[in-house]
Every structure is written in C-alpha cells, then in structure tokens.
Amino acid sequence: TAPEGPAPGRFMVASLGLCVGLYAAHYLKRHNISDEGLTVDIEAIDAGNPARAESFDIVVNLKAKLTDE
C-alpha cells in the first residue's frame, strides 16, 4: 500500500517555516514593532536523485513600515 500522510521532507519545510516565523515574531515584539500581517513563505529547492532539499527560499512578509533604524 502507498504511504499515507505528508512526506518527512514536507514536515521539515513546515518546521523551518514555523521556526522562522517564531523568531521574527519574537524580534518584532522585542523591538515594539507590530506583527500585523506577518507571514512566512518557504519553498524547498529539490536537488534531484536521491530526493533531498538542496536549498530553501524564505520570504518574511510584514505590513509594518520599517525604517533604517
């Protein structure tokens, strides 16, 4: 029978995204910056055979207007 549920690699990508989001939220809170609209987009770039992730593209989105300070 075929395996059920997400593949382990998908759990790794989700875990990495969660870690980035939690770190970003903690940073924003520490610096009194609103976390409104905080989202994390992550994409795993596959390396081919054997199946594995070669790299990750991670984008943190935020509605707050940040300054150079």
Side-chain angles (χ1 to χ4, degrees):
T1 64
E4 293 184 25
R10 292 191 185 262
F11 280 116
M12 181 184 67
V13 173
S15 297
L16 180 58
L18 177 62
C19 184
V20 169
L22 288 172
Y23 181 84
H26 178 72
Y27 178 90
L28 295 169
K29 183 176 182 178
R30 185 171 21 138
H31 293 279
N32 296 316
I33 301 170
S34 172
D35 63 357
E36 180 183 356
L38 175 63
T39 62
V40 177
D41 297 323
I42 183 167
E43 179 183 1
I45 309 303
D46 293 330
N49 197 5
R52 65 192 186 282
E54 177 177 70
S55 61
F56 301 94
D57 286 335
I58 303 171
V59 177
V60 177
N61 304 292
L62 188 63
K63 287 185 179 179
K65 293 184 180 184
L66 303 177
T67 64
D68 289 338
E69 295 177 25

